[in-house]
Amino acid sequence: MAYCKCARRRLWKEKRSAPTARRVRPCPPPTQRNDDDDAPPAASSRREHAIVGAFAFTGDHLAGGKGLSLAHKSNSLEHPKQRPKISITDTRAEARGGRVPGPSGEGVASILSMQQLFEQMLLHRNDAACTARGFYTYEAFLAAAATFPAFGSTAEGLSVETRKREVAAFLGQTSHETTGGWPTAPDGPLTWGYCFKQEREPKSIYCDTTKPEWPCAPNKEYIGRGPIQLTWNYNYGLAGRALSLDLLNNPDLVAADAVVSFRTALWFWMTPQANKPSSHAVITGRWTPTAADNAAGRVPGYGVITNIINGGLECGIGPDPRVADRIGFYQRYCGILGVDTGSNLDCYSQRSFNLGVPSTGLAAQ
């Protein structure tokens, strides 16, 4: 201010009197001022910086950081729940063509709505002894599942129980393929699924030269990788074509990118091949056995999925510990999700879809 109140009062009186020069009493010293309305408190500038910091942290954009008043910023903060937040996970999933459903969605995220549930099911996957530790994440699973909207969802009008059973069956089969458990393992062998992302001690590079439509790339190996342990050049070729990825020339991607890894497993799960139904159709009750299936003892149930995956090595030979391990994982996960397993869990008496030949070429663990 140019003048204090006492000075203004004297000047106003002087204008009403004769224009003779009069001495004006000076204002009180600044330390004696009581008028706090003349300037904002010193703390205001610090508060403004704190508001700007909040915008930057939550991912909001401030139009270049210029030209916005404090009032505008304050109005935005009155409704913090309406502010969009940027998630690195969401961005990566969208880059792969996937939509990430929220926990309240109707996809698989509504079955595994909390990461704690995922962690409980795959309890020891990040153990120091597991070479896949830190690879198979909850976010990667949801991102991959979002690219297969029929998996574990209401898209086909499935009941909650059926959807839970499908998630349990998928994780049960893939946990066996990637298990690191042993009979005396801490918390039991059925808590050690998803311990490995790549086949241990492969017996070959799995290049089938009788299928020229899927040529093997130089110096590349088509060993078991990912949750389903995708194996053989033709499986990599088929999966890559379906997912728009060049997996023939870059098979290592399945063990390097967790979303891609889950997607290859889900592709196999959702896709019928030759005379085999998809695992999805079997577990959701949408598969009707043919006369040939009935004659081979292949009846609806979890056991047929084992037959689809590795029936040539595990089915039709009576009780087998590998089949029992697959069943054990499935039963444990159904228990966690609170759903019954259904019937026909084993394939002990089923003939393989391709008798005497590994039905998919997937490597046995």
Side-chain angles (χ1 to χ4, degrees), residues 7-355:
R8 285 200 302 267
R9 197 160 42 246
R10 284 190 173 279
L11 288 175
W12 178 74
K13 290 181 179 179
E14 290 173 359
K15 290 179 181 178
R16 299 186 62 179
S17 60
T20 57
R22 300 182 66 178
R23 185 177 180 181
V24 178
R25 182 169 61 86
C27 295
T31 56
Q32 298 179 14
R33 288 182 57 192
N34 296 319
D35 190 359
D36 294 333
D37 296 329
D38 293 339
S44 294
S45 61
R46 291 195 298 272
R47 183 178 181 83
E48 181 176 357
H49 286 303
I51 292 172
V52 173
F55 269 84
F57 182 77
T58 57
D60 295 277
H61 301 281
L62 296 176
K66 299 179 181 179
L68 292 178
S69 67
L70 179 60
H72 178 88
K73 298 167 192 171
S74 298
N75 290 338
S76 297
L77 286 174
E78 287 175 3
H79 304 286
K81 292 183 180 180
Q82 298 178 4
R83 296 199 310 271
K85 295 184 179 182
I86 294 176
S87 167
I88 295 176
T89 301
D90 291 357
T91 304
R92 289 177 179 174
E94 290 171 1
R96 296 178 176 87
R99 175 183 58 84
V100 178
S104 60
E106 295 183 344
V108 70
S110 63
I111 301 298
L112 291 178
S113 58
M114 297 182 296
Q115 184 168 353
Q116 291 87 340
L117 194 62
F118 187 78
E119 301 296 336
Q120 180 185 357
M121 298 173 82
L122 308 179
L123 186 61
H124 285 288
R125 77 184 191 284
N126 291 326
D127 189 88
C130 295
T131 58
R133 59 186 175 275
F135 182 70
Y136 295 116
T137 65
Y138 175 72
E139 294 81 6
F141 176 62
L142 293 188
T147 66
F148 291 89
F151 173 73
S153 77
T154 59
E156 297 175 339
L158 302 177
S159 67
V160 173
E161 290 74 17
T162 300
R163 293 163 56 208
K164 287 182 177 180
R165 200 173 290 119
E166 177 170 29
V167 172
F170 174 81
L171 292 177
Q173 291 286 352
T174 52
S175 288
H176 168 77
E177 294 291 339
T178 57
T179 185
W182 66 98
T184 59
D187 300 305
L190 301 179
T191 63
W192 288 76
Y194 282 75
C195 189
F196 297 95
K197 61 180 178 177
Q198 187 164 297
E199 181 182 359
R200 294 162 288 167
E201 301 177 0
K203 297 177 175 58
S204 74
I205 65 171
Y206 299 101
C207 174
D208 187 349
T209 57
T210 67
K211 293 181 169 53
E213 65 272 31
W214 306 115
C216 300
N219 303 316
K220 297 297 180 181
E221 298 181 352
Y222 302 95
I223 61 175
R225 295 183 179 92
I228 202 68
Q229 290 292 280
L230 190 72
T231 314
W232 292 101
N233 55 310
Y234 51 84
N235 279 325
Y236 277 86
L238 287 167
R241 184 173 66 183
L243 303 177
S244 299
L245 298 168
D246 187 6
L247 297 182
L248 273 178
N249 287 306
N250 189 13
D252 296 306
L253 185 63
V254 180
D257 187 309
V259 175
V260 171
S261 195
F262 274 116
R263 288 186 73 200
T264 60
L266 287 165
W267 162 80
F268 185 88
W269 187 264
M270 303 295 293
T271 307
Q273 298 181 34
N275 64 330
K276 306 171 198 171
S278 70
S279 300
H280 168 75
V282 172
I283 201 65
T284 58
R286 292 174 171 266
W287 172 62
T288 301
T290 65
D293 291 319
N294 288 325
R298 297 189 290 263
V299 293
Y302 184 76
V304 169
I305 298 176
T306 300
N307 201 331
I308 292 170
I309 294 174
N310 212 26
L313 294 179
E314 299 179 22
C315 297
I317 57 176
D320 186 280
R322 296 165 295 184
V323 176
D325 191 62
R326 294 177 189 272
I327 295 171
F329 276 112
Y330 176 55
Q331 290 174 325
R332 177 173 179 267
Y333 297 155
C334 282
I336 292 174
L337 295 177
V339 65
D340 66 273
T341 61
S343 56
N344 303 318
L345 302 186
D346 65 73
C347 62
Y348 298 151
S349 301
Q350 296 180 17
R351 290 202 300 271
S352 169
F353 279 97
N354 296 305
L355 188 60

